[in-house]
Amino acid sequence: MGRITIAIDGYSSTGKSTVAKQLADYLGYVYVDSGAMYRAVTLYAMQQGIISKAHFDTSKLIASLPEIHLKFYKEPSWNKAHIFLNGKDVEDKIRNLEVSEFVSPVATIHEVRAKLVAQQKQMGLEKGVVMDGRDIGTVVFPKAELKIFMNASAEERAQRRYKELLERGEQIKFSEVLKNIQARDHIDTTRDDSPLVKAADAIDIDNSEMNLEDQFHTVLQLAKDRIAGRV
Ligand code: CDP
């Protein structure tokens, strides 16, 4: 059976990465979390003092891009691949609310996107990949055999993310998480370069009322149909 490319896009905290990972594991495909790459570039900018609440030196970030090396690597005992920034495992560090607050402005920069998109296209050359993000079906893999566009209400998404962050031990308020999700939705959908938009041939899934199992089976069925060439 031929291997296909699966693009999963959608708003923040819609459960894209959960379903993308489940699907990749089931099919024996590679899972790539493109958001982790934007988050790692953001962490680099924070560590270098390029971005803070007070300022954002975009030219310095652009000039530093050749110094930023990103790699995914998975130990057999890990549940998923971790992202490495210049040789350091930063998987854990990139998930906090501080990085979430700076990531969308960083992701508006054309040069950042061009660098990451080139690396993402490279990772998909041999197919057999499930990638999730904002522009996967529109820009990274416009010819993907299966494109999914996920959505859920902002309240529901914020609840899910809030729970996740609490479980990680972060001290945060629900209102901050909701505000961050709404702010990112706004920046991601209105930026000039590759705004978050549903590809014309993507299938919409609203999972506000779906549990993880229903969601997985819905997407798996679509994938099986595409692999078998049925639709
Ligand atoms: O997991 P969550 O939904 O919070 O977001 P993510 O997938 O980790 O992505 C973080 C941010 O990176 C998004 O809000 C976008 O600003 C940016 N991003 C992007 O612009 N393009 C992508 N392909 C993936 C992420």
Side-chain angles (χ1 to χ4, degrees):
M1 238 186 310
R3 288 151 74 81
I4 64 168
T5 301
I6 302 176
I8 304 188
D9 288 301
Y11 292 88
S12 166
S13 314
T14 37
K16 299 182 300 287
S17 58
T18 307
V19 77
K21 169 79 178 43
Q22 285 172 318
L23 203 54
D25 285 350
Y26 185 93
L27 298 170
Y29 283 16
V30 173
Y31 163 56
V32 181
D33 173 359
S34 70
M37 300 171 73
Y38 290 91
R39 287 174 176 272
V41 170
T42 305
L43 180 68
Y44 177 91
M46 289 161 64
Q47 288 171 341
Q48 302 294 319
I50 293 172
I51 194 167
S52 71
K53 282 209 161 55
H55 83 296
F56 181 12
D57 189 342
T58 50
S59 338
K60 187 158 177 208
L61 180 58
I62 293 167
S64 308
L65 285 174
E67 318 294 317
I68 302 178
H69 301 284
L70 302 179
K71 222 179 147 159
F72 285 99
Y73 170 74
K74 186 179 176 305
E75 284 280 345
S77 63
W78 298 345
N79 155 57
K80 61 175 276 199
H82 291 187
I83 188 154
F84 285 69
L85 164 64
N86 294 337
K88 281 219 174 79
D89 184 346
V90 293
E91 183 64 31
D92 226 41
K93 276 200 178 138
I94 58 166
R95 304 284 164 197
N96 63 29
L97 194 58
E98 213 191 342
V99 173
S100 299
E101 276 171 2
F102 296 129
V103 64
S104 287
V106 167
T108 62
I109 297 173
H110 172 72
E111 290 80 354
V112 170
R113 304 202 69 81
K115 177 182 169 96
L116 300 192
V117 167
Q119 196 176 343
Q120 289 154 5
K121 283 182 187 276
Q122 203 67 30
M123 289 188 268
L125 283 180
E126 288 172 33
K127 299 207 173 190
V129 60
V130 186
M131 193 176 289
D132 79 319
R134 303 292 188 286
D135 59 344
I136 311 305
T138 50
V139 176
V140 180
F141 301 134
K143 294 193 175 139
E145 288 84 355
L146 176 60
K147 300 181 185 178
I148 310 266
F149 192 83
M150 307 226 336
N151 204 356
S153 69
E155 276 285 325
E156 177 61 36
R157 292 185 282 128
Q159 283 293 354
R160 292 176 188 164
R161 185 51 53 95
Y162 179 57
K163 205 170 144 249
E164 239 172 68
L165 291 167
L166 285 186
E167 277 163 9
R168 290 167 38 97
E170 281 207 44
Q171 309 271 320
I172 31 138
K173 291 199 206 109
F174 174 74
S175 59
E176 285 176 321
V177 177
L178 180 62
K179 222 170 80 192
N180 174 252
I181 282 184
Q182 289 167 331
R184 279 201 285 141
D185 284 355
H186 178 71
I187 302 174
D188 292 349
T189 50
T190 56
R191 68 182 175 221
D192 289 335
D193 188 348
S194 335
L196 167 62
V197 59
K198 178 180 167 302
D201 52 351
I203 296 167
D204 261 310
I205 294 186
D206 186 314
N207 65 8
S208 307
E209 310 276 324
M210 269 188 203
N211 63 30
L212 286 182
E213 204 172 320
D214 294 341
Q215 168 177 297
F216 173 57
H217 285 289
T218 306
V219 177
L220 180 61
Q221 193 52 53
L222 292 168
K224 284 183 171 168
D225 288 345
R226 294 298 154 102
I227 292 167
R230 278 199 287 268
V231 277

